[in-house]
Amino acid sequence: MKTRLAGTRPMPAPARAVRPLRAYASVWKLRMLQGLQYRAAALAGMATQLFWGFMFVMIYDAFYSHATVAPPMSLRELVSYVWLQQAFLALIMLWFRDNELFRLITTGNIAYELCRPCGIYGFWYAKLLAMRLSVALLRCFPLLLVVVFLPQPYGLMPPPDAAQFLLFLAALLLGLLVLVAISMLIYASVFITMSPAGSLLLFGVSGEFFMGAIIPVPLMPEWLQRVANALPFRWCADFPFRVYSGHVSAEEALAGLLVQAFWLAVLVALGKRAFDRALARVTVQGG
Amino acid sequence: MSGFRLYFKYMQMLFKAEMQYRTSFWLLSVGQFFVPFAVFAGLYFLFERFGQLRGWSFYETALCFAVIQMAFALSECFARGFDSFSSLIVNGDFDRLLVRPRSTFVQVLGSQFEFTRVGRLVQGAVVLGWVLARLPVAWDVGKMVTLALMIVSGVFIFTGIFILAATLCFWTVQGLELANIFTDGGREMAQFPLDIYKKWVTRFFTFVIPFGCANYLPLLYILDRTDGPAALYMLSPLAGIAFLFPCLLVWRIGVRHYRSTGS
């Protein structure tokens, strides 16, 4: 093994050119390990999500029990939708945020981030992705394990077949990528507004509504469903959860994956541009 | 009485401080309007599709929703000090409150206000106004008083839960997410008439945490669906108000167990 003296070390080539993915991967790993430290918080979170899930299931059960026309989604599909939403909350919620990044922007410590030899967009994207995944991985399995064994109609139904399940996984993953791309836009906006509250609220409220977190998209009136379809939010949560239960057929799911890929490309391009613009104007005032 | 004076002094002071950032205040208030608005829209669309909920009409449920939202907004505004109490403990600031010759309750209560909740309050009030205009109820003095009592009772219950959650911090230091089940969860749950849930849930939220006394039981009185002595239904919100007293007792025990984090 060759050792080099610090003094004689050649100037490192910009890592962006060398191995950007490796840098992102190690950021990702670090964050994952950090997130996994908080086990007690995870347990408390799980109990909370079980409670919320139960409440929603009971409310929908009450609505369904006297429904005069058949609703567009069976109760079993709806219950699975609710439980998946609760289990993967960390993957789909826009208010789930990294205050550290906001602080970097508002305090000016962003200067340090800019010194790093890799693109800030990719760097933060990896950070946010890891944060969401670490929380979700820790929370989803115990919760899913509990809700699978709940008696019908309160339990999570198994997916209709293996192919549908694989499609669900693909849709969930792509959806997560889309969601992180959306949240990057929120971070970009903080460069201009200097306070995350406004954009978080705007994105949070409208995003949550149109992703079906308040009422499932299929239960919305026709015109509102059209609006939801035209926005990216639904593709992060509503779509994968309906693929799981088979409410969206395999062919539709494949087409949906393409739509997700489209949104991902558009949102990443938009986000990158917004970041470049914001960083070009960024002024750090000493301190 | 000096407790009250002190509390209002605190309020005045913090309100002036908040008004230094006027734009931010208004923006946040507008945001606070839209959060429950989205939930209310969801409720509306569900009723549009299903027509009714176990015999409850949209307007009847919306009355529940408005009362609970207003109660929650008021208690989040005025009891915010307890809601964010864990920061007082973590930073060791609670030590400072202990050396002052006033009750810890008033000082913690006055340590923070969340005036932006006015947005949520307005949203609740708008819904309430709309519902009152549409609900076919013959309003008399008794019913008006009951309605007011429902809101007051809700405020006391939420405040009681905030105090209980804050008391837990004496032992756990960090605030627990678990407490959200009873604050946010309780709010979400009590937006609907409680009898739509499973029996044990209804019982828990009537006899342990008396949300049922703030919305379901008095609602039956307002809608003339009582079964038995009406006065009992009418006065049930008082049980919600009484909920605060055991909470205060627990708070006292907690204060006695306080050990500073030393930071």
Side-chain angles (χ1 to χ4, degrees):
Chain A
M1 218 181 124
K2 263 199 273 184
T3 48
R4 275 198 292 249
L5 286 172
T8 61
R9 191 166 63 184
M11 276 293 283
R16 193 194 308 240
V18 190
R19 288 243 174 87
L21 275 182
R22 220 173 106 184
Y24 298 149
S26 51
V27 169
W28 195 79
K29 209 170 121 192
L30 207 72
R31 279 260 136 166
M32 281 293 270
L33 289 173
Q34 240 178 45
L36 290 173
Q37 294 303 311
Y38 299 96
R39 258 156 285 187
L43 217 69
M46 218 189 80
T48 312
Q49 273 147 35
L50 258 178
F51 175 86
W52 282 91
F54 256 123
M55 194 179 67
F56 282 126
V57 168
M58 280 189 286
I59 291 171
Y60 289 124
D61 187 30
F63 269 114
Y64 270 62
S65 65
H66 290 283
T68 40
V69 261
M73 204 180 189
S74 74
L75 186 61
R76 278 194 83 191
E77 286 169 340
L78 185 68
V79 168
S80 298
Y81 189 98
V82 168
W83 284 127
L84 290 173
Q85 242 175 16
Q86 292 302 322
F88 296 110
L89 204 64
L91 299 189
I92 59 171
M93 280 309 167
L94 279 166
W95 46 255
F96 198 83
R97 61 190 181 269
D98 190 343
N99 283 323
E100 196 188 312
L101 295 189
F102 288 131
R103 238 170 287 138
L104 283 178
I105 301 175
T106 47
T107 59
N109 284 344
I110 181 93
Y112 299 118
E113 298 283 289
L114 292 174
C115 298
R116 292 186 211 279
C118 55
I120 197 164
Y121 187 88
F123 187 65
W124 283 18
Y125 192 102
K127 256 190 184 178
L128 293 174
L129 191 65
M131 184 182 74
R132 282 177 186 272
L133 270 177
S134 68
V135 176
L137 279 180
L138 200 63
R139 289 187 181 189
C140 77
F141 292 113
L143 187 72
L144 289 177
L145 207 69
V146 172
V147 296
V148 161
F149 290 109
L150 288 177
Q152 290 304 339
Y154 294 110
L156 179 73
M157 65 185 264
D161 54 49
Q164 197 79 23
F165 183 68
L166 287 177
L167 279 171
F168 158 70
L169 285 182
L172 188 67
L173 205 72
L174 257 174
L176 171 64
L177 294 178
V178 172
L179 190 81
V180 176
I182 297 175
S183 66
M184 285 299 283
L185 289 176
I186 302 181
Y187 290 91
S189 76
V190 177
F191 279 104
I192 302 159
T193 61
M194 279 301 157
S195 154
S199 27
L200 261 176
L201 237 143
L202 187 77
F203 277 89
V205 173
S206 59
E208 219 171 280
F209 190 84
F210 286 112
M211 71 170 52
I214 289 176
I215 60 169
V217 175
L219 293 184
M220 290 177 185
E222 209 54 54
W223 61 273
L224 209 59
Q225 284 192 41
R226 272 200 290 276
V227 178
N229 270 329
L231 293 170
F233 305 109
R234 174 185 107 77
W235 299 98
C236 311
D238 172 71
F239 171 67
F241 301 154
R242 273 158 71 190
V243 171
Y244 176 88
S245 64
H247 190 255
V248 169
S249 69
E251 295 88 65
E252 281 174 289
L254 280 173
L257 288 176
L258 285 180
V259 178
Q260 284 183 312
F262 162 77
W263 273 115
L264 181 61
V266 170
L267 288 167
V268 167
L270 261 178
K272 268 201 164 149
R273 233 178 81 124
F275 259 75
D276 286 343
R277 283 225 175 147
L279 288 174
R281 301 185 322 135
V282 90
T283 330
V284 177
Q285 286 151 349
Chain B
M1 232 38 233
S2 70
F4 271 108
R5 282 230 328 258
L6 183 66
Y7 181 72
F8 284 113
K9 268 263 156 48
Y10 271 125
M11 197 184 330
Q12 244 175 16
M13 207 167 70
L14 288 165
F15 187 68
K16 273 185 193 154
E18 176 102 44
M19 278 304 131
Q20 297 302 309
Y21 300 94
R22 224 167 274 239
T23 332
S24 148
F25 169 76
W26 285 116
L27 282 178
L28 285 175
S29 302
V30 170
Q32 282 297 326
F33 179 88
F34 281 106
V35 175
F37 181 77
V39 178
F40 185 67
L43 190 74
Y44 178 82
F45 292 132
L46 280 179
F47 272 94
E48 198 184 59
R49 183 169 290 279
F50 291 99
Q52 47 101 13
L53 172 63
R54 290 244 162 102
W56 297 91
S57 77
F58 169 67
Y59 291 111
E60 289 160 3
T61 310
L63 184 66
C64 249
F65 173 92
V67 165
I68 288 297
Q69 287 292 344
M70 288 173 73
F72 187 75
L74 285 170
S75 52
E76 251 203 330
C77 171
F78 295 113
R80 180 69 177 176
F82 282 102
D83 194 17
S84 59
F85 180 66
S86 70
S87 67
L88 275 184
I89 293 261
V90 173
N91 300 333
D93 286 337
F94 190 64
D95 297 19
R96 294 207 322 227
L97 302 194
L98 281 176
V99 297
R100 292 180 191 149
R102 289 294 160 89
S103 84
T104 52
F105 174 72
V106 173
Q107 292 189 61
V108 174
L109 201 63
S111 68
Q112 250 186 12
F113 290 90
E114 197 47 77
F115 297 108
T116 56
R117 293 300 186 269
V118 70
R120 194 184 272 274
L121 186 67
V122 168
Q123 204 273 344
V126 169
V127 172
L128 188 67
W130 187 40
V131 168
L132 290 186
R134 292 297 178 89
L135 211 57
V137 169
W139 290 96
D140 54 32
V141 179
K143 287 182 182 176
M144 302 276 235
V145 171
T146 308
L147 184 66
L149 272 179
M150 280 165 82
I151 299 174
V152 174
S153 170
V155 173
F156 274 75
I157 295 171
F158 281 120
T159 307
I161 298 171
F162 284 140
I163 293 175
L164 286 184
T167 309
L168 261 184
C169 295
F170 285 122
W171 284 277
T172 60
V173 179
Q174 281 287 338
L176 281 183
E177 201 187 334
L178 216 57
N180 287 354
I181 290 185
F182 300 111
T183 53
D184 290 343
R187 178 198 72 215
E188 216 60 24
M189 185 147 245
Q191 281 169 9
F192 292 92
L194 277 183
D195 71 332
I196 67 160
Y197 301 109
K198 295 256 162 262
K199 270 275 160 321
W200 60 271
V201 178
T202 314
R203 280 197 197 118
F204 180 83
F205 280 99
T206 305
F207 295 114
V208 182
I209 298 178
F211 276 118
C213 300
N215 77 353
Y216 175 57
L217 295 173
L219 189 68
L220 289 178
Y221 170 74
I222 289 180
L223 299 174
D224 292 318
R225 293 201 196 151
T226 49
D227 171 27
L232 223 57
Y233 288 85
M234 189 184 157
L235 295 177
S236 61
L238 296 180
I241 294 174
F243 176 68
L244 191 67
F245 296 107
C247 296
L248 283 178
L249 211 68
V250 174
W251 169 254
R252 288 211 153 166
I253 298 170
V255 172
R256 243 175 257 142
H257 277 257
Y258 172 64
R259 294 173 93 186
S260 175
T261 52
S263 49

